[in-house]
Amino acid sequence: MPVTVEDVRRLALTLPRTTEHLIRDRVKFRVKQIVYVSFSRDETLMGFAFPREQRAALVESEPDKFQLPSAGDMRYQWVVARMEALDLDEMTELVTDAWTMVVPKYVAREYFDGLP
């Protein structure tokens, strides 16, 4: 069963310092002013923070699941996933990894140290 925005919301709002915003009819999750997950208006695509130097390999490894961001977003550390192709475990890993890119290292460390 593919993941939904609600699935992502349940996870993202448990991550310290995350806030949710609706900007130009698009749901976005961010830490302060830095967006780490964003959805297309129709909620079929999820953009997320991802290391720029690794994104080509990710897209090439599963082109039916991942795509490069729009030309205007290529300057950012960003990749896009098709929501219908993600399962809950993979979404959890992608969103959590994206979050760790935008929070201070000590915040991520404290969060992971507190997990069972």
Side-chain angles (χ1 to χ4, degrees):
M1 189 169 184
V3 296
T4 65
V5 172
E6 186 56 38
D7 295 325
V8 176
R9 178 179 288 120
R10 270 193 296 278
L11 169 63
L13 293 179
T14 67
L15 300 172
R17 300 188 181 192
T18 293
T19 56
E20 179 179 350
H21 301 270
L22 186 62
I23 301 169
R24 295 186 199 110
D25 296 324
R26 295 177 62 181
V27 175
K28 298 183 181 212
F29 295 95
R30 66 187 194 195
V31 172
K32 293 192 178 187
Q33 298 301 316
I34 303 174
V35 175
Y36 68 92
V37 170
S38 177
F39 294 92
S40 59
R41 284 184 179 87
D42 64 3
E43 299 180 352
T44 60
L45 300 173
M46 178 181 80
F48 56 97
F50 192 83
R52 186 179 297 116
E53 61 278 358
Q54 297 173 20
R55 69 180 170 196
L58 178 68
V59 171
E60 290 170 11
S61 71
E62 295 187 77
D64 57 322
K65 186 181 294 188
F66 299 108
Q67 63 188 43
L68 292 173
S70 66
D73 287 340
M74 285 296 286
R75 66 180 182 252
Y76 301 115
Q77 297 194 83
W78 204 251
V79 173
V80 177
R82 292 170 185 81
M83 293 289 286
E84 67 186 18
L86 295 176
D87 64 29
L88 196 56
D89 290 337
E90 188 169 33
M91 176 277 294
T92 299
E93 181 179 351
L94 294 172
V95 170
T96 304
D97 288 351
W99 170 81
T100 62
M101 290 179 64
V102 301
V103 293
K105 291 189 184 325
Y106 79 90
V107 173
R109 189 171 44 254
E110 288 174 358
Y111 172 78
F112 290 117
D113 287 349
L115 291 179

